[in-house]
Amino acid sequence: MFVDMPLDQLREYRPERREPDGFDAFWARTLAETRVHDLNAVFTEVETDLALVRCFDVGYAGFGGQEIKGWLLLPATAEEPLPCVVQYIGYNGGRGLPHDWLTWPAAGWAVLVMDSRGQGGGWRPGDTPDPVGGTGAQSSGKLTQGVSDPDDYYFRRLYTDGVRAVEAARAHPLVDASRIVVSGGSQGGGLAMAVSALVPGLLFAFIDVPFMSHIRRAAEITDEDPYAELGRFLKSNRHRVDQVFATLDHFDGMNFAARNTTPALFSVGLRDGITPASTVFAAYNHYAGDKDIRVWAFNGHEGGESDQIAEQLRIARKLLTG
């Protein structure tokens, strides 16, 4: 069984960050290059068998002006702008079907679910291709796609798509642009952490068992996918170790956490072999904003599941009532 550090050590674990020179300039340039393209957010209402929910098929321009799909769900009775959760998805999952996302509309919120480009071949289908191929060698999966160069790296596109998802949500007339929450687990948690650092004025962030934090340690201590993709790649590309981690430092959650002022609730499973607890606490302990964390001592990567959602709903209700 995988066990990382004792909890008392985890609560104090604050490793040195490997922040590249020009980190902020890199992301400012990335977003500026994307915003040259009109957002072109399109919401097409679709018929479902959900009598209490309105559903819109969403399309908007993400990284490079490329179309990203999503769902927007609203309570059917909504007449005034609602607060909205922008929901990001775990690794290798896609947006699925509208009835997969009923929690937030049932709580009185809008939810915009972002499809993850080029993913959806694992546990839930997706509808957004990634028209950009990473250059150079890579292993299977997305974690090493374009990893030789930060500008070419897959997660540059995905994080930018995540920023534009917030902008798309804010563009809908039934969404209160001043009350946006970002949320996700695993890869989705990593996205929520990055986006909440890159987008000012967000109301809250739910960051569950986040992926892409303290990446080098994760790659060194776990052999579970997705981090094992890095291990397999570097096993044969051993001369590229420094180059690869120099790229990944541009996407490491610790570096976003250190400049993040959005209030946040984290979660962690102490027996998580996919996103080891030390990598979650590394980001949490560097997080600059108001924060709290739910620790699930006997859980793995599933974290608190429905109990964690109950915690989020409790916070969301307070946010909803002001």
Side-chain angles (χ1 to χ4, degrees):
M1 179 175 291
F2 181 90
V3 178
D4 197 344
M5 298 179 184
L7 182 56
D8 58 344
Q9 293 181 25
L10 290 168
R11 292 195 183 278
E12 302 297 324
Y13 185 61
R14 199 171 186 271
E16 182 179 355
R17 294 184 296 111
R18 295 163 48 98
E19 182 177 305
D21 293 338
F23 180 90
D24 293 314
F26 171 82
W27 283 106
R29 173 173 60 83
T30 296
L31 297 180
E33 290 174 359
T34 292
R35 289 179 177 136
V36 168
H37 305 278
D38 187 78
L39 180 64
N40 194 29
V42 176
F43 303 90
T44 305
E45 190 158 10
V46 296
E47 291 293 329
T48 70
D49 293 316
L50 301 170
L52 302 181
V53 175
R54 293 179 70 187
C55 179
F56 297 83
D57 182 49
V58 179
Y60 66 90
F63 179 89
Q66 297 144 11
E67 186 183 37
I68 306 300
K69 301 295 291 182
W71 298 119
L72 177 68
L73 276 67
L74 302 153
T77 56
E79 296 180 355
E80 300 293 331
L82 298 174
C84 182
V85 173
V86 176
Q87 181 74 45
Y88 305 116
I89 302 169
Y91 194 77
N92 211 14
R95 68 171 179 166
L97 297 172
H99 58 257
D100 294 325
W101 307 104
L102 296 181
T103 297
W104 291 112
W109 288 61
V111 61
L112 188 145
V113 182
M114 186 191 88
D115 207 17
S116 297
R117 61 165 65 218
Q119 298 190 42
W123 51 277
R124 184 185 284 134
D127 297 301
T128 304
D130 183 9
V132 182
T135 60
Q138 67 181 74
S139 67
S140 61
K142 298 296 183 184
L143 197 54
T144 61
Q145 187 175 336
V147 76
S148 296
D149 186 337
D151 277 4
D152 194 39
Y153 190 43
Y154 171 82
F155 280 87
R156 182 183 185 225
R157 302 192 290 280
L158 190 68
Y159 285 8
T160 303
D161 296 343
V163 169
R164 296 284 266 183
V166 172
E167 296 172 4
R170 284 175 165 166
H172 194 277
L174 284 176
V175 169
D176 182 345
S178 69
R179 293 195 288 174
I180 303 290
V181 170
V182 291
S183 178
S186 193
Q187 175 184 263
L191 272 160
M193 183 150 50
V195 171
S196 55
L198 293 169
V199 177
L202 295 178
L203 188 62
F204 209 86
F206 295 125
I207 302 171
D208 291 327
V209 294
F211 181 51
M212 297 292 284
S213 174
H214 204 2
I215 301 171
R216 183 155 191 160
R217 174 171 171 81
E220 290 172 345
I221 68 172
T222 183
D223 59 1
E224 293 197 43
D225 283 330
Y227 284 120
E229 294 175 19
L230 281 173
R232 289 192 292 270
F233 179 78
L234 294 173
K235 182 178 179 180
S236 60
N237 291 271
R238 56 189 70 89
H239 60 290
R240 296 185 178 179
V241 171
D242 291 340
Q243 177 190 18
V244 164
F245 285 109
T247 291
L248 293 171
D249 288 341
H250 291 79
F251 306 90
D252 196 300
M254 287 196 298
N255 293 328
F256 290 108
R259 47 188 34 84
N260 201 323
T261 59
T262 304
L265 176 68
F266 283 68
S267 70
V268 61
L270 296 190
R271 299 189 181 189
D272 190 343
I274 295 175
T275 56
S278 59
T279 70
V280 175
F281 272 98
Y284 178 76
N285 291 333
H286 276 291
Y287 199 87
D290 292 339
K291 62 192 178 184
D292 199 358
I293 190 168
R294 298 293 177 266
V295 177
W296 304 102
F298 293 94
N299 288 96
H301 197 54
E302 74 280 4
E305 295 184 304
S306 56
D307 287 297
Q308 186 70 24
I309 294 172
E311 292 282 312
Q312 295 172 354
L313 289 169
R314 180 182 59 80
I315 290 171
R317 188 173 184 179
K318 291 182 177 179
L319 296 172
L320 191 65
T321 58

